Amino acid sequence: MGKGFFISKAAGVAAIIMGAGAVATIIALSVVYSQEKAKNNDNQVSPTDGGTTSTSKPPVTTPAPSNEVWDKYRLPTNLVPDHYNVTLWPRLTPNENTELYIFTGDTSVEFECVEQTDLILIHSNKLEYNKLDNNHWAKLVAVDSGVSAPAIQSTWLQNVTQYLVIQLEGKLMEGHRYRLYMTFTGELADDLGGFYRSEYMENGVKKVVATTQMQPTDARKAFPCFDEPAMKAIFHITLIHPRGTLALSNAEVEESTVDGNLQKTVFKPTLKMSTYLLAFIVSDFDFVNNTIGDVLIRIFARKPAIAAGQGGYALNKTGPILKFFEEYYNSSYPLPKSDQIALPDFNAGAMENWGLITYRETALLYDAEYSSNSNKQRIATIIAHELAHMWFGNLVTLKWWNDLWLNEGFASYVEYLGADYAEPGWNLKDLMVLNDVHRVFAVDALASSHPLSSKEEDIQTPAQISELFDAISYSKGASVLRMLSNFLTEEIFTMGLRTYLSQFAFGNAGYIDLWRHLQMAVDATGTKLPNTVNDIMNTWVLQMGFPVVTIQTDSGHVSQKHFLLDPDSQVTVPSPYDYEWIVPMTWMKNGGIQESKWLTSKTATFEDMKVTGTDWVLVNHNVVGYYRVNYDQGNWDRLLNILSTKHEDIPVINRAQLVDDAFNLARAKIVSTSLALDTTKYLIKETAYMPWQTAIDNLDFFYLMFDRSEVYGPMQNYLRKQVTPLFNYFKNITDNWSKVPDGHMEQYNQVNAISLACRTGIEECQNLTKTWFKQWMDTGVNKIHPNIRSTVYCNAIAQGGAEEWDFAWSKFRSATIAIEADKLRYALSCTKQPWLLNRSAHTQPY
């Protein structure tokens, strides 16, 4: 295999200057790339996407501070909660003395003692307790007749492990039930966790929302509770709130009464559920609603947003997506309502609270005047992600956070299925390759990655739990489950999934339980696999990274090796499988789909992968497998020839794959940089979105490498030549930019065409964006289509000066639509004037 070209930099640049064209450009780029990389051998390898996604090192077991049970981060299993009664009163105005926003509350939890103990541990964080008539912070009574509760000896807070500790004078009796009562005060802070406040301006008036975010370990900030996912219980929630405000929780309202300026809303009991899925909200919001079957669907948001119709798209898509998942899971939606609410201040994209899903405004609200097709897609996929959790995650919940990947990975996979059902013309399932597979490849190819599933004892503290919410859990989890569904077939995958959900409904399970039910489906259908589901999938779940599979088409020899972006990095994490995987191989020969194969060892020989003449082989058809692919130089040459002559003989997803694999193999010093750049030569004839987006993502790395070298100009010239036909293509199909392309993917690629054309200096493009932006400045009417606003704003500001920047800044400061504010914020960073960037960094937006 080639290791690159070794000529001098001067010779390479001279070749370009002499006008040798694309080949010379590629040679010179590969030379300078090698030299620049050599300069940075000691630097950490960054992901191809520029480092926007990160992963942490494997968690390390945290020793408990002592052997005392209250110094351990996990609850003992001797007490099992049954139900809670929780009353909360958030103050939506600050205290006159302290100027703090607070909430007060009381709670009682009924639990069963399953093993004798004289100690009660219940999670509590940042709550202050009131002494009760027994001179302690809690009161304990027996529920069962004929049994008395032991007296409380002492109570104290163990802040490090976040417990309220209750030491008893006697023992709780096994098999009996008790009730624990507490009253408390907490701060309704603006820290986005637990019970917190969100603020926004409406008609010049500051409005306050009391809302929640419990996942993963912040229910204990709202009220004392057994705050672990396996400690499921039923919750009776009551909210006291200002008269005229709206109170929401997981369940529907049972009754609401008014007493002076206060309103008391009592909710029906929830289903049996985990604490992290609780939600309660007090706001001045409005809503739109409809009913699908027996399910009431409501979309809540700020009154102006609802009045502007921004909840309509979410309302129209929620019903069909719910119905899709009912059929997919073969299980009715278990609640009478599905409330979804858009919050001005929200840390996550969304949260799957059972019956009351919370969102960022940009993840739920759609305005045709301001929202692009990518904004609309994000709304559809996030709604599908959260609704998927109503069964997988909420009905059946992970036992402990070390299996978070199964919860989030599954929802990240089936979100594409649900959104595809709601928007069948978008081909959303294909986009998972760009958005998840390629995204997570960039971080899982680092020596600092970690396995999907961790040992339970390694995930103990809240900080360790929070670290798991990363690209590995979400995108790698989704990618390997997609691979699993593909090699099993969707019919067998859903068969096992349905029995899994049925067995563990309202309970907890782990990934091994899912493997067992999928194996039952495999056995029931007589499906042939080289190993059990457990044995196959554990190679993907219990070791980090993924393989590069190399095919030698002259001999049919196939091998696998742990793929690392930096081949000189040291892998210090041991693997139970010695970094070998059981690899499902889908493949094509000369454009025809072949029978799938399995690579079950480090090497194997497949005679039918041996080809001669002009025949070619392509492995990982439609990128359903979680691995990269390399070939002998002869097969690479034949694939490049097909790209140049009949590129549509290769499926569009695989055209993107060839580009992405080649660039990343080059970064790993497995193939030459010139080979990677060769995969971009055919783009002069390509109009499809996925290959172009993949090429742009990878070439961004080259921009970073070359922006101050003498090769930057020739690279610009090369890319300008490649993108000009694409720019003209969209000019033609949009009737000189007067209409929007029909297809969802074409709308995406129109953005790429304008962005790269302007970036590489196509004068027509630059004049176009400047003209559109100037018309907005002159008339005050923004006729730029939402799909292309980000790139038009950015390029106009990059080419302009203070006048353009000041105009965008004023529009950003006055923006009332979060999606438009996001576009303007990004565009402001595109200026080439450092003093303008410096000014924005020291100016408050509001």
Side-chain angles (χ1 to χ4, degrees), residues 444-458:
D444 204 22
L446 304 178
S448 59
S449 187
H450 63 84
L452 275 171
S453 188
S454 305
K455 294 179 180 179
E456 189 171 340
E457 60 268 24
D458 288 343

Side-chain angles (χ1 to χ4, degrees), residues 27 35 42 220 233 342 433 441 562 585 650-652 705 785 817:
I27 292 173
Q35 294 175 343
D42 294 332
R220 64 194 69 174
V433 173
F441 271 168
H562 184 194
M585 297 170 60
I650 298 175
V652 64
M705 294 285 288
H785 193 277
I817 307 295

Side-chain angles (χ1 to χ4, degrees), residues 141-142 144 146-150 171 173 178:
V141 297
D144 298 339
V147 177
S148 60
K171 288 188 179 292
M173 302 302 294
Y178 301 86

